[in-house]
Amino acid sequence: MPRSTIARIDLQALRHNYALAQKLAGSARAMAVVKADGYGHGIRPVALALAEMAPKYAVACLEEALAIRDAGLRQPVVLLQGMHEAGDVRDCSAHDFEPVLHCSTQLNWLAQSESRPEFWLKVNSGMNRLGFRPAELPEVMAAIDAMGARSRLLGFVTHFACADDPASARTAEQTECFVRGTAAWPDLMRSVGNSAAHFLPDQPLFDWSRPGIMLYGGSPSLGKIGPELGLQPVMTLEAPLLSTRIVKAGEAVGYGSAWVAERETLMGMVAIGYGDGYPRHAGTDTPAAVRGQRIRLIGRVSMDMLAVDLTNAPDARPGDAVELWGRTVGVDEVAACANTISYELMTGITARVPREYR
């Protein structure tokens, strides 16, 4: 029998979160961001679960877009990184993919291709990763007109650097830069809204928003956890309790003897570790739960196991399911203890952990 370490995926919670994203987007339409294998939840089941709600999907690259087509879905798919080689232009055209072009090389590939997919332009409004600077747009638009591709251009995209921080002025500055840079082409659509932007008061989201982490129940906002924003957890990560024992005062547990009992403690071992994608840097006091009671990790996380303090759950027995994150323990809480973000935790769960969908 396989061990019972598992990631349970609640597709109804996913749909709830998408509905909230669309509500917060107002008059904008929400394209569902399902890149990175649906943020670790499985791109095919995630996309299928949203098929009757989402008018458009967004992914990072061509292979992710093809996975959506392999699932039998026909909605347009936005490729946020655009094309990675010249031949991708033909594939985008054949499959109704909408690449986001961000550099002159991609423009040249488009010009040299006989097929012309609908596409977007990436505007660098201050993130300084990808995109054309606003001052470059007149020249870019002239090149698009010269190749006869203007009718295939859908609009402009930008990405916010600090939307997770409501106190930051950067989002307003980027919005102003984007609006000013694209003002000469009011007939084209605009998209700016990542998950965090949905929760900023008075933030315009224009024509299309792009909810990502919020679809999966993770918080995109500093100082907030998902449930505080009305989001429901989609993934519950569980592993079985392997054993329990009494650790005497003065005894240490695990590698490096990183935790030493100050008093006699009921300790349990759980069948999950960094080999499954659980964060190695989640140390003592990181929350977990068993039988509905919150407990804590103690000592170092090993490749295949971790230790927990069962003082708050004295009735726990080997075989009980331990929740590492889910409805009792939020993934954002665990991320904070591991000095990371929920995005990394969800996408980091390895193939060794099966996904179960309901």
Side-chain angles (χ1 to χ4, degrees):
M1 291 288 291
R3 62 181 186 154
S4 52
T5 302
I6 195 167
R8 304 187 190 278
I9 310 299
D10 184 345
L11 297 175
Q12 186 56 41
L14 175 76
R15 287 188 282 265
H16 165 88
N17 295 338
Y18 177 85
L20 178 61
Q22 183 57 79
K23 178 181 178 181
L24 294 173
S27 61
R29 288 172 288 176
M31 63 177 79
V33 181
V34 297
K35 62 181 180 176
D37 196 28
Y39 284 58
H41 294 67
I43 189 170
R44 180 187 177 93
V46 163
L48 286 169
L50 296 175
E52 296 183 2
M53 304 177 73
K56 196 186 293 277
Y57 297 103
V59 298
C61 50
L62 184 64
E63 55 267 34
E64 294 174 337
L66 289 171
I68 293 176
R69 288 291 177 264
D70 288 343
L73 299 172
R74 306 312 307 168
Q75 286 96 324
V77 183
V78 176
L79 274 62
L80 297 173
Q81 289 184 2
M83 295 94 65
H84 289 152
E85 58 182 47
D88 292 349
V89 180
R90 180 181 61 255
D91 290 331
C92 287
S93 182
H95 294 287
D96 197 21
F97 298 154
E98 301 172 3
V100 179
L101 308 190
H102 58 77
C103 63
S104 58
T105 298
Q106 292 180 333
L107 283 175
N108 289 336
W109 290 341
L110 185 69
Q112 294 162 9
S113 177
E114 295 181 359
S115 56
R116 294 283 169 77
E118 292 186 313
F119 65 98
W120 301 77
L121 289 179
K122 182 69 171 284
V123 179
N124 177 16
S125 61
M127 183 76 157
N128 288 312
R129 295 193 308 186
L130 300 173
F132 301 99
R133 295 183 183 275
E136 297 172 325
L137 289 179
E139 182 178 352
V140 170
M141 293 297 287
I144 291 171
D145 288 338
M147 70 177 79
R150 175 63 184 276
S151 65
R152 308 301 289 166
L153 175 59
L154 295 170
F156 303 99
V157 172
T158 199
H159 196 57
F160 292 140
C162 301
D164 59 333
D165 183 1
S168 173
R170 290 289 294 132
T171 304
E173 293 168 358
Q174 283 192 256
T175 302
E176 182 181 357
C177 174
F178 179 73
V179 170
R180 188 170 58 248
T182 61
W185 304 279
D187 56 314
L188 296 175
M189 293 187 292
R190 291 176 287 182
S191 174
V192 302
N194 57 4
S195 287
H198 290 72
F199 297 97
L200 294 178
D202 303 320
Q203 171 61 44
L205 297 184
F206 302 102
D207 300 291
W208 286 94
S209 73
R210 306 190 304 275
I213 189 64
M214 68 179 295
L215 299 183
Y216 309 96
S219 171
S221 303
L222 292 178
K224 297 286 187 179
I225 59 175
E228 292 176 332
L229 298 173
L231 302 170
Q232 295 181 4
V234 177
M235 178 188 290
T236 296
L237 182 64
E238 294 180 353
L241 191 63
L242 289 172
S243 67
T244 65
R245 70 172 61 219
I246 296 295
V247 179
K248 298 179 180 179
E251 291 185 332
V253 172
Y255 286 118
S257 297
W259 181 82
V260 179
E262 296 180 355
R263 53 178 171 74
E264 190 173 274
T265 302
L266 178 61
M267 183 269 289
M269 295 304 302
V270 185
I272 194 168
Y274 60 79
D276 303 291
Y278 190 85
R280 182 176 180 272
H281 297 296
T284 297
D285 293 331
T286 299
V290 63
R291 295 194 175 192
Q293 299 296 315
R294 288 171 68 96
I295 56 176
R296 65 176 185 139
L297 271 63
I298 52 178
R300 291 183 184 173
V301 175
S302 303
M303 180 179 289
D304 310 305
M305 293 182 289
L306 54 81
V308 292
D309 179 352
L310 294 172
T311 300
N312 290 344
D315 295 329
R317 296 290 182 267
D320 285 349
V322 176
E323 178 189 304
L324 286 311
W325 63 69
R327 291 191 174 272
T328 305
V329 174
V331 65
D332 298 305
E333 295 181 76
V334 178
C337 291
N339 195 30
T340 186
I341 55 178
S342 59
Y343 307 65
E344 183 178 22
L345 297 192
M346 293 178 184
T347 60
I349 297 302
T350 68
R352 189 163 78 164
V353 179
R355 274 67 165 172
E356 177 186 272
Y357 298 91
R358 62 182 178 87

